[in-house]
Amino acid sequence: MDAPYSDYQCARKERIALTLPVPFYRHDLGQPELTEIANVFAGPMLTTGEKVGEFERLFAGYLGRRYALAVTSCTGALHMSLLALDIGPGCEVITTPMTFVATSTAIMEAGARPVFVDVEPDTGNLDARLVEAAITARTRAILPVHLYGLMCDMRALREIADRFGLAIIEDCAHCVEGARDGICPGELSDTACFSFYATKNLTCGEGGAVVTDRDDLIEKLRPLRLHGMTKTAADRQREGYRHWDVTMLGWKYNMDNIQAAILIPQMRRLEAKLKERERLAQRYTELLADVPGVKLPTSRPNSIHARHLFPIWVDPAKRDQLIGELSKRRIETVVNYRAIHLLTYLKNELGCRQGDFPAAERIGAETLSLPFYPTMPLEFVDIVADAVASVLHPAAAVRAVG
Ligand SMILES: Cc1ncc(COP(=O)(O)O)c(C=O)c1O
């Protein structure tokens, strides 16, 4: 039987019960973003214009990179990066099976073939030690993902890429604020791609960016973002109408001024929000580290973890039941991710089988992401940790909290 709560805990539980359910994620957008949107509404340009340029400068500056191009998604940013690097049919790109499916579908959209390499069992990040063995004459790039917000070993990946003449495209959908060994996202790669999807650390609902230091790539990426056109609506507005041309096949990936207006004020809170997420992560870690049957992914020395998600790894036989029991207690969780090489389309298309990438498959079967967002009250962390412990160990005493 559960140990009785102390009076203090009971009072606190009642107080918290008033604010349940515990959502998986809540954005913190409000008046600063509304004010910026109003500024856009007051001007003539809803589509790509000055606000987008302002955001691009802020974002590139934050990362210490020369160029940022704001787009409609990370998927688009990945796709454009591959095209700008002339990676297409007949080419292979080495990547991870422990990611959101877009990492690989972007490669397939470009006409190239994802070649999976297994991940580090304790972080879920692409295992740099296994990359070399997967390189063939067709390999053109390495596409690592900084899973959950922990950067991959970019120094090791760059060394391999240089030795074999490969490009690196970073999928930084989880990692704006991270760093490792003094290296920031985008610093050692040819391009780095970011997501501003609804649950990301920096969000405008849907959006993304590609950053690069390379002049030749930014020259290709700009027209790729908008139909290969030589003039944009903003040029028209500034210079008056001039005939434009299409000099290459481009896509429709341009971010608009309204999306940029939502992102600009968030750049000022990025570091403060990271501190909040770090505080929540530490609390979760304190409460869950010793719960039998709960494993936490590890970090790496000399790393600033961007703390995008807070996953736990549990016995695969109990994972889905745990999700169900937490849901009954109105605690929302998500699985990030089941190993993508086993999803029907990729499995069929790429000929993958169960057992091909054991570390990714194990994490995919064990993982669930707990509620985690910067404005989340610490009490919610206590409630969630308590619920996880009591579902996994119904007979054990309720963990002391607070
Ligand atoms: C690791 C990873 N890569 C790529 C993407 C795709 O991002 P977007 O939805 O902005 O295209 C996501 C989005 O969730 C992601 O988590």
Side-chain angles (χ1 to χ4, degrees), residues 73-80 82 93 95-110 114 116 143-145 169 171 173-174 193-195 197 200 206 253 337-338 340-341 343 345-346:
S73 68
C74 182
T75 311
L78 292 166
H79 183 206
M80 285 169 57
L82 291 152
V93 177
T95 190
T96 167
M98 179 37 58
T99 180
F100 181 59
V101 67
T103 313
S104 267
T105 52
I107 297 170
M108 295 165 93
E109 281 171 26
F116 295 118
L143 205 168
V145 177
I169 300 168
D171 180 335
H174 296 189
C193 302
F194 296 83
S195 173
Y197 172 70
K200 295 297 188 254
E206 299 284 353
Y253 286 147
Y337 303 92
R338 292 185 299 142
I340 63 169
H341 66 283
L343 298 176
Y345 177 71
L346 284 96

Side-chain angles (χ1 to χ4, degrees), residues 93-94 126 131 140-144 157 160-161 166-170:
V93 177
I94 291 177
L126 185 69
V131 166
R140 300 292 307 283
I142 306 172
L143 205 168
L157 292 175
I160 298 167
L166 308 176
I168 300 184
I169 300 168
E170 278 173 278

Side-chain angles (χ1 to χ4, degrees), residues 304-326:
I304 298 172
H305 197 302
R307 295 290 183 200
H308 171 49
L309 295 168
F310 194 91
I312 60 171
W313 297 343
V314 300
D315 180 348
K318 296 187 180 157
R319 194 264 308 269
D320 290 357
Q321 187 216 348
L322 178 57
I323 292 171
E325 287 299 322
L326 293 175

Side-chain angles (χ1 to χ4, degrees), residues 173-379:
H174 296 189
C175 192
V176 178
E177 312 92 324
R180 177 162 171 184
D181 303 325
I183 304 296
C184 292
E187 195 166 341
L188 292 187
S189 57
D190 295 82
T191 72
C193 302
F194 296 83
S195 173
F196 310 133
Y197 172 70
T199 57
K200 295 297 188 254
N201 293 8
L202 183 59
T203 183
C204 57
E206 299 284 353
V210 49
V211 305
T212 184
D213 279 338
R214 283 180 54 177
D215 291 324
D216 61 328
L217 288 183
I218 196 71
E219 291 308 318
K220 286 178 163 179
L221 288 165
R222 279 202 188 99
L224 274 171
R225 174 172 72 167
L226 189 65
H227 304 300
M229 289 167 71
T230 53
K231 295 267 177 219
T232 66
D235 295 333
R236 223 163 28 242
Q237 208 241 329
R238 210 173 35 247
E239 307 165 358
Y241 179 80
R242 304 261 171 84
H243 290 308
W244 45 265
D245 196 7
V246 169
T247 53
M248 60 190 285
L249 182 62
W251 303 75
K252 175 65 178 165
Y253 286 147
N254 56 312
M255 177 180 281
D256 67 43
N257 271 350
I258 303 168
Q259 291 169 306
I262 299 172
L263 293 167
I264 287 167
Q266 293 176 71
M267 291 303 297
R268 294 192 281 274
R269 328 193 269 278
L270 210 48
E271 290 292 317
K273 282 166 63 173
L274 176 60
K275 283 204 182 92
E276 282 307 307
R277 287 197 310 273
E278 188 56 50
R279 200 162 76 97
L280 298 170
Q282 279 176 18
R283 181 71 168 176
Y284 264 137
T285 305
E286 272 166 35
L287 296 173
L288 291 170
D290 298 330
V291 174
V294 174
K295 280 181 288 178
L296 302 176
T298 45
S299 188
R300 284 285 183 264
N302 299 321
S303 293
I304 298 172
H305 197 302
R307 295 290 183 200
H308 171 49
L309 295 168
F310 194 91
I312 60 171
W313 297 343
V314 300
D315 180 348
K318 296 187 180 157
R319 194 264 308 269
D320 290 357
Q321 187 216 348
L322 178 57
I323 292 171
E325 287 299 322
L326 293 175
S327 169
K328 278 189 208 155
R329 294 169 195 223
R330 301 166 75 208
I331 295 169
E332 288 176 15
T333 56
V334 171
V335 170
N336 307 100
Y337 303 92
R338 292 185 299 142
I340 63 169
H341 66 283
L342 298 178
L343 298 176
T344 305
Y345 177 71
L346 284 96
K347 193 168 153 181
N348 293 344
E349 222 27 50
L350 303 172
C352 300
R353 284 191 307 263
Q354 181 92 36
D356 282 352
F357 307 104
E361 289 169 25
R362 180 194 53 73
I363 295 169
E366 291 184 350
T367 197
L368 74 155
S369 303
L370 301 180
F372 194 61
Y373 51 95
T375 55
M376 181 169 162
L378 268 185
E379 286 90 341

